[in-house]
Amino acid sequence: MSEKCVHTTSLLTELLSSGKYLDQRVVKVVNGEAEEATELLRHRFDVVSYTGGEKVGRIVNEAAAKHLTPTLLELGGKNPVFVTKNADIACAAMRIAWGKVTGNAGQLCISPDYCLVEASVKEEFVEALCKAMDEFYPVSSYSGNNGDDGSRGDVGKMISVEHAERV
């Protein structure tokens, strides 16, 4: 798990290591940074699963290949959504907006990245999507003036300055 999201990592470690949800003989959670991950990858596993960026994904893949270990890499690909004239436009817009705003304000590897919309329904879709986004994120949720002290917004934040600068 990521060293960048300390609280989430702590919670998931607790839940996954408790034995309540997963068999502890099969799953072991190890937290750390590059040094710990590098050491782990020197050992044999039945399968290696990694979610993250392309740079580290290459390192994980190379290390796993030394043991011919099956590897599952989820490297945050692009996820288009298609909207055609046959769609229920309002429903499609709501579902797309929901998919984008859930999962840490769209910072989820499977959230929709862009929409490919049939030209004949473009205007209707844009209007419906704007309405859906307004429902999920009213102005008060990101304007910074909805808290008692005027400083709080409810929109999820980027995990780090580095990630915000990248986006």
Side-chain angles (χ1 to χ4, degrees):
M1 286 182 251
S2 176
E3 69 279 3
K4 296 188 184 292
C5 49
V6 179
H7 299 295
T8 301
T9 295
S10 176
L11 176 63
L12 287 174
T13 299
E14 179 184 326
L15 294 173
L16 297 175
S17 300
S18 69
K20 182 176 179 181
Y21 303 102
L22 299 170
D23 187 335
Q24 291 180 298
R25 297 170 296 173
V26 178
V27 175
K28 177 70 177 162
V29 176
V30 178
N31 295 312
E33 296 186 31
E35 184 180 331
E36 292 83 0
T38 301
E39 178 58 34
L40 275 175
L41 290 169
R42 291 190 179 116
H43 301 276
R44 292 185 182 274
F45 291 93
D46 293 332
V47 68
V48 172
S49 177
Y50 171 77
T51 298
E54 190 175 310
K55 179 181 172 188
V56 176
R58 288 181 191 281
I59 295 167
V60 169
N61 196 47
E62 284 180 30
K66 290 177 183 171
H67 300 293
L68 297 178
T69 303
T71 308
L72 172 65
L73 301 176
E74 195 296 299
L75 303 177
K78 293 298 173 190
N79 304 299
V81 293
F82 298 88
V83 181
T84 70
K85 64 183 178 187
N86 299 322
D88 177 330
I89 302 300
C91 181
M94 185 61 76
R95 289 176 177 171
I96 291 165
W98 180 87
K100 189 62 181 172
V101 302
T102 59
N104 201 21
Q107 299 176 73
L108 186 66
C109 53
I110 59 170
S111 69
D113 287 303
Y114 58 98
C115 301
L116 299 171
V117 181
E118 197 166 339
S120 64
V121 293
K122 177 185 169 194
E123 296 303 321
E124 180 185 0
F125 173 75
V126 169
E127 185 177 315
L129 185 62
C130 288
K131 180 180 177 198
M133 290 301 288
D134 285 344
E135 287 182 35
F136 283 113
Y137 280 151
V139 171
S140 63
S141 66
Y142 57 84
S143 65
N145 61 3
N146 64 331
D148 295 317
D149 64 357
S151 64
R152 196 188 98 230
D154 293 328
V155 174
K157 308 298 187 261
M158 295 296 285
I159 192 104
S160 69
V161 171
E162 173 188 306
H163 284 73
E165 288 173 351
R166 176 181 51 82
V167 170

